[in-house]
Amino acid sequence: MYSEYLAEKVFPIEGDISEDNLGMKSEDWNLLAEEVDVIFNIAASVDFIARLDINMRINTRGAMNILQLAKACSKIQVLCQISTAYANSQKPKGPVEETIDEDDVEKLESILEEVLQMSPEEVEEKRLEKLLRKYRGNLPLVIIRPSMIGAAAEEPHIGWVDSVSATTAVYLAASIGVLKDLYGNSGIIGDEIPVDYVA
């Protein structure tokens, strides 16, 4: 049933987010530029042990390539970029304002000590958000910062995941008896949001 629904709504186009013009054939690019009015960029590498340059090529350069497509779309209403709640995780305890720091885009590259203490995800997302803000022009831009994304609450069905990573790997290992103990702090909230709430 779900695959039938997708077949009515989804038209597959081959490409690569890290390549110029998203690695698409020119006729596919032109089709999207003529027809698309809303773009949700949910593509990302969440491999926290991958080399930073590889993740930046996919996550940061990829998002900039999506921005170029959005700017080429004659009917575009909004570009929605999925980021992460951890883009501002270095802030003091308490509420974190939903802002993009005003620092220069190049600041992350020039302050090596600070960057080395950040997770690769945090470096990428800070840079990505600043680049999108700097180069979006008049394009309406929404940045959504979910916490860790987990299994579906309802759609396409309860518990659905498309990969075993992050918290899903922990749940799987515990459910099959491989993980018997997990140290943590019971006073800290484990933030996780179902994938269908984000998508």
Side-chain angles (χ1 to χ4, degrees), residues 6 8 14 26 56 73 83 86 94 115 119 121 126 134 174:
L6 281 180
E8 294 175 8
E14 186 177 346
S26 58
M56 288 187 78
C73 292
S83 182
Y86 308 106
V115 170
S119 70
E121 181 180 43
K126 283 174 156 293
K134 181 175 180 179

Side-chain angles (χ1 to χ4, degrees), residues 19 35 60 131 192-193:
E19 299 294 329
E35 298 297 328
T60 306
L131 286 168
E192 185 170 335
I193 186 167

Side-chain angles (χ1 to χ4, degrees), residues 132-144:
L132 287 173
R133 181 176 181 188
K134 181 175 180 179
Y135 294 110
R136 72 183 176 103
N138 294 326
L139 179 73
L141 173 67
V142 173
I143 296 176
I144 297 176

